[in-house]
Amino acid sequence: MNVMLKPSSASEVLLPAADIPLESLDVSDPRLLETNTWPAYFKRLRDEDPVHYLPDSPFGAFWSITRFEDIQFVDSNFKLFSSEPVIVIGDRPDDMFLEMFIAMDPPKHDEQRRAVQSVVAPKNLAEMEDLIRQRVISILDGLPVGESFNWVDKVSIELTTQMLATLFDFPFEQRHKLTYWSDMATSSPEMTGGTSTKEEREEAMDQCAKAFVQLWHDKAARREAGEEQGFDLINLLQSNEDTKDMIERPLEFLGNIILLIVGGNDTTRNSISGGVHALNQFPEQYDKLRADTSLIPNMVSEIIRWQTPLAHMRRVANEDVELNGKTIKKGDKVVMWYLSGNRDERVIENPDQFQVDRKNARHHLSFGFGVHRCMGNRLAEMQLRILWEEIMQRFDRIEVVDEPQYIRSNFVKGYSELQVVVHPKK
Ligand code: HEM
């Protein structure tokens, strides 16, 4: 596999979607998200070829599934479509050999998920609510007033990083390492069109492994010494029959740690940024929200749909499958483009419109469907709800003052920069 990502067309410039022959339309090009030009490409596939085969791309041959209902079908059928060996479009380079339950099929998937999912059980979430609120308040109260700053760094990254440190009981003062490791894990050019190098990733994974092995042993020692254990993830893994010896299976251990770090990082981070951006693009919706803040929980679902922080998940067909008149062959790579399904006008009315009071707002694809449906979805919604409750108490407006900068990837749909000025309430 070529390490350098080839552009999809001969020229370096992205052509308008309408100018590209359908059979060579390549929606895996990571520049589509970076330049925010993706909507027209996916609309064309939805309308003209919803189950689309591209025989050649920097990520190999793949099928694109772009309509809401077809995506739901693929995602709900783990027997027809396998999540192994990886769930992103690109194949695994040699240095990424981690095992994680998002990329396992039942029954192994179910055992491992069961072991950790109580960390986000309703009781645990209720206990976390006060802590999240305190952290949100301290971040918001520390924001500069009257000058522009990058919302991505100061709020989106900071808040999600603090939450991750809490979930793992990771040393709080070292929490920024978690963000860095997560960024490294998702930015391989071969897998998602990202920009990290093999050396950077190896170094990061090595550091991450060492830190978590250390944390595991520290916590085990504290437990033996009789210290009362909280409901953090490491503790849950240590106290579960299926996973209590996971430390002896280092690849699986590190893989699941990385999964939980990535799961709770980019996704929530980019929803936090996406909400601010959406309200600025649709100021009448911001007015509606100011007039009625009880819309916040509904708006949170709408933000998650509109943003779609993970653009795709990939599967491999276990057998020949007929879908929308096409035959997907056993062994073919199938990519479910959530970002497209969430803009499918056949299922969602005015899908490009951000609407804080949208009916049935939770009916979106951003958390997936079926056995792999996002484990942290309630936690993510809670974080966003609390954030917006506290924002609306303090600020009349968070004003976006420059064009946002987006990440180059075909997997993480997000922002690297969102310059804002905050306007406190009078
Ligand atoms: C807005 C925020 C989030 C979004 C959009 C999101 C999205 C997703 C998606 C699309 C999947 C795969 C679903 C599928 O294949 O059908 C997933 C799985 C997962 N997510 Fe999230 N996620 C978010 C927040 C979180 C948080 C906060 C956590 C932390 C606990 C988390 C942990 C996981 C885990 C562990 C899985 C794997 C589940 C499995 O394979 O059974 N996610 N998420």
Side-chain angles (χ1 to χ4, degrees), residues 352-393:
D352 294 329
Q353 164 83 28
F354 175 77
Q355 228 168 284
V356 291
D357 54 356
R358 182 179 288 282
K359 294 207 170 47
N360 210 5
R362 223 170 175 261
H363 188 55
H364 61 67
L365 294 167
S366 301
F367 292 130
F369 274 92
V371 295
H372 290 284
R373 185 171 166 80
C374 176
M375 198 183 90
N377 70 79
R378 296 288 177 184
L379 172 62
E381 288 174 345
M382 183 170 90
Q383 277 182 262
L384 289 165
R385 171 178 57 77
I386 296 171
L387 174 72
W388 280 100
E389 284 168 1
E390 296 301 328
I391 287 177
M392 294 312 287
Q393 293 217 4

Side-chain angles (χ1 to χ4, degrees), residues 75 102 109 113 263-264 267 271 315 338 366-369 371-372 374:
D75 217 356
I102 197 169
H109 160 270
R113 176 168 169 140
T267 51
S271 306
R315 300 290 185 258
Y338 293 139
S366 301
F367 292 130
F369 274 92
V371 295
H372 290 284
C374 176

Side-chain angles (χ1 to χ4, degrees), residues 246-312:
M246 204 185 242
I247 196 77
E248 288 155 27
R249 301 188 297 279
L251 295 185
E252 190 180 312
F253 173 61
L254 185 59
N256 281 316
I257 294 292
I258 294 280
L259 168 60
L260 292 159
I261 301 177
V262 174
N265 186 41
D266 288 300
T267 51
T268 315
R269 175 202 305 182
N270 287 312
S271 306
I272 293 174
S273 305
V276 170
H277 186 208
L279 286 170
N280 275 264
Q281 273 190 274
F282 298 90
E284 78 292 352
Q285 299 297 315
Y286 212 158
D287 291 340
K288 223 188 264 179
L289 177 67
R290 264 188 290 267
D292 180 5
T293 50
S294 74
L295 289 169
I296 288 174
N298 199 73
M299 175 182 79
V300 163
S301 292
E302 176 68 348
I303 290 173
I304 294 170
R305 177 194 72 87
W306 189 84
Q307 179 58 27
T308 317
L310 296 182
H312 78 259

Side-chain angles (χ1 to χ4, degrees), residues 21 41 47 50 89 102 110 121 134 169 295 300 335 363 380 393-394:
Y41 278 66
D47 289 348
I89 186 168
I102 197 169
D110 304 1
Q134 282 164 26
D169 194 18
L295 289 169
V300 163
V335 181
H363 188 55
Q393 293 217 4
R394 282 168 179 71

Side-chain angles (χ1 to χ4, degrees), residues 175-330:
R175 64 189 182 278
H176 296 288
K177 291 182 179 171
L178 296 171
T179 319
Y180 177 69
W181 295 331
S182 170
D183 288 348
M184 284 297 118
T186 53
S187 59
S188 132
E190 297 92 332
M191 295 175 83
T192 61
T195 51
S196 65
T197 66
K198 186 166 182 277
E199 291 69 33
E200 282 173 328
R201 287 197 307 278
E202 275 173 357
E203 167 82 21
M205 292 307 109
D206 190 49
Q207 279 179 12
C208 177
K210 287 194 179 121
F212 274 97
V213 168
Q214 169 89 39
L215 186 62
W216 178 286
H217 291 307
D218 285 354
K219 289 185 70 76
R222 275 153 53 192
R223 192 191 181 93
E224 292 223 332
E227 192 179 300
E228 199 181 318
Q229 298 285 307
F231 254 81
D232 61 88
L233 274 160
I234 301 291
N235 183 43
L236 283 167
L237 290 172
Q238 287 177 338
S239 47
N240 182 287
E241 263 316 295
D242 295 327
T243 51
K244 65 175 198 249
D245 56 354
M246 204 185 242
I247 196 77
E248 288 155 27
R249 301 188 297 279
L251 295 185
E252 190 180 312
F253 173 61
L254 185 59
N256 281 316
I257 294 292
I258 294 280
L259 168 60
L260 292 159
I261 301 177
V262 174
N265 186 41
D266 288 300
T267 51
T268 315
R269 175 202 305 182
N270 287 312
S271 306
I272 293 174
S273 305
V276 170
H277 186 208
L279 286 170
N280 275 264
Q281 273 190 274
F282 298 90
E284 78 292 352
Q285 299 297 315
Y286 212 158
D287 291 340
K288 223 188 264 179
L289 177 67
R290 264 188 290 267
D292 180 5
T293 50
S294 74
L295 289 169
I296 288 174
N298 199 73
M299 175 182 79
V300 163
S301 292
E302 176 68 348
I303 290 173
I304 294 170
R305 177 194 72 87
W306 189 84
Q307 179 58 27
T308 317
L310 296 182
H312 78 259
M313 286 280 154
R314 155 243 179 107
R315 300 290 185 258
V316 174
N318 279 333
E319 52 189 86
D320 291 2
V321 183
E322 289 287 323
L323 187 58
N324 250 334
K326 300 281 177 71
T327 307
I328 298 172
K329 290 273 178 214
K330 180 177 176 175

Side-chain angles (χ1 to χ4, degrees), residues 2 36 62 85 88 237 289 315 321 328 336 347 361 386 417:
N2 190 346
N36 202 26
F62 67 96
V88 292
L237 290 172
L289 177 67
R315 300 290 185 258
V321 183
I328 298 172
M336 302 176 282
V347 174
I386 296 171
E417 201 166 320

Side-chain angles (χ1 to χ4, degrees), residues 50-67:
V51 178
H52 173 263
Y53 188 67
L54 187 69
D56 186 27
S57 87
F59 306 94
F62 67 96
W63 291 92
S64 282
I65 314 296
T66 48
R67 285 192 189 165

